[in-house]
Amino acid sequence: MSEYLPDKLAEITIKMLGDRWKVLIIQNLLDGTKRFGELKRELGTITQKVLTSNLRLLEEKGILVRKVYAQIPPRVDYTLTQLGYELKPVIDSMIIWAEEYRRNVAKALNINLADCAE
Amino acid sequence: MSEYLPDKLAEITIKMLGDRWKVLIIQNLLDGTKRFGELKRELGTITQKVLTSNLRLLEEKGILVRKVYAQIPPRVDYTLTQLGYELKPVIDSMIIWAEEYRRNVAKALNINLADCAE
DNA sequence: GCGGATAGTTTCTCAAAAGATACCAATGTT
DNA sequence: AACATTGGTATCTTTTGAGAAACTATCCGC
């Protein structure tokens, strides 16, 4: 039964990173502190609402900190915590796997093309 | 702009592993070939429907293969592909991170307890 | 016939997150 | 006044996956 405990651990991490936007946000912040608008531009098609709610959740979970400046126009900086930075190896291994996956897809396409040629 | 391409790669992997059941299924199959009922028992509370649909999707994506035996009672074996096994480092790094996260949560609880004591 | 084995399929409901769009606040500049 | 800056908030709709529960198919043994 104790062999199932590692199962539960991966589940914890998936809950933090379990969707497109969270992983992209964290990955962006690996570059260093960024402002709301900067993140929004670099992430592309994300809505303000979705960005806000994802940032707030990651803050709540201790992945990042949000620093509000007393100024107008408003300025808010987002920075990964140490815990957030420690997600880098996870993301890196994901990138490595995706590159392998891409190679496999390309290989599968080649096979399909050969079938069509016959 | 090319710096964003790695961003997209992590997204690909998250789509494969992006929820509780997929990561748990893959992790179970790292032990080797298993049957439907075996998976269902070991995963605990998953419904047949959810297990089936997750297995079919992982098969479609090339993460696992499904071998149907011509017998009654029905027998279907599920085995990770090479590509599926290559998700092991991703899952391992997730486990390591979750352990760190757990330590941080415990630390945060200690701080909160100290605050209450004062 | 009933119950057991196995791996599903079906139907409906619910929950959570994303998406689309509009609006808000404060200050500064023209 | 209008427009600019910034980081939001609010409301409604859509999408997706999970959950609950029932039913299906085939063979075998009692």
Side-chain angles (χ1 to χ4, degrees), chain B residues 21 24-25 28 38-46 51:
Chain B
W21 292 121
L24 290 176
I25 288 165
N28 248 282
E38 199 175 352
L39 278 171
K40 186 164 183 299
R41 276 191 301 278
E42 295 185 5
L43 289 167
T45 57
I46 193 169
L51 179 54

Side-chain angles (χ1 to χ4, degrees), chain A residues 3-13, chain B residues 20-21 24 27 42-45 95 98 102:
Chain A
E3 68 188 280
Y4 295 128
L5 288 179
D7 290 0
K8 300 302 176 185
L9 290 171
E11 194 180 339
I12 289 169
T13 308
Chain B
R20 173 187 185 198
W21 292 121
L24 290 176
Q27 200 169 8
E42 295 185 5
L43 289 167
T45 57
I95 290 167
R102 273 223 176 136

Side-chain angles (χ1 to χ4, degrees), chain B residues 22-90:
Chain B
K22 284 189 189 64
V23 72
L24 290 176
I25 288 165
I26 291 165
Q27 200 169 8
N28 248 282
L29 289 175
L30 285 173
D31 294 339
T33 298
K34 293 191 179 181
R35 298 174 63 173
F36 184 92
E38 199 175 352
L39 278 171
K40 186 164 183 299
R41 276 191 301 278
E42 295 185 5
L43 289 167
T45 57
I46 193 169
T47 64
Q48 288 161 300
K49 198 199 74 167
V50 171
L51 179 54
T52 300
S53 89
N54 273 282
L55 287 168
R56 292 303 174 89
L57 192 119
L58 290 171
E59 180 194 10
E60 181 187 314
K61 298 295 184 186
I63 310 294
L64 59 83
V65 291
R66 176 173 170 273
K67 181 170 184 181
V68 184
Y69 291 78
Q71 74 171 50
I72 294 294
R75 170 176 183 170
V76 181
D77 282 356
Y78 293 91
T79 312
L80 288 183
T81 60
Q82 178 64 25
L83 188 61
Y85 268 103
E86 277 162 20
L87 281 166
K88 187 174 190 300
V90 181

Side-chain angles (χ1 to χ4, degrees), chain A residues 26-74:
Chain A
I26 291 165
Q27 199 170 10
N28 248 281
L29 289 175
L30 285 172
D31 293 340
T33 298
K34 292 190 182 181
R35 298 175 63 172
F36 184 91
E38 198 174 351
L39 278 171
K40 186 163 184 299
R41 276 191 301 278
E42 296 185 6
L43 289 167
T45 56
I46 193 168
T47 65
Q48 287 161 301
K49 198 198 73 168
V50 171
L51 179 53
T52 301
S53 87
N54 273 282
L55 287 169
R56 292 305 174 88
L57 192 119
L58 289 172
E59 180 193 10
E60 182 188 312
K61 300 293 185 185
I63 310 294
L64 59 82
V65 290
R66 174 172 173 273
K67 181 171 181 180
V68 183
Y69 291 78
Q71 74 170 51
I72 294 295

Side-chain angles (χ1 to χ4, degrees), chain A residues 11-23 26 58 94, chain B residues 14-15 17-20 94:
Chain A
E11 194 180 339
I12 289 169
T13 308
I14 278 287
K15 272 179 183 162
M16 297 299 159
L17 279 180
D19 60 68
R20 172 188 187 197
W21 293 121
K22 284 190 190 65
V23 72
I26 291 165
L58 289 172
M94 283 181 172
Chain B
I14 276 289
K15 274 178 181 163
L17 279 180
D19 59 67
R20 173 187 185 198
M94 282 180 174

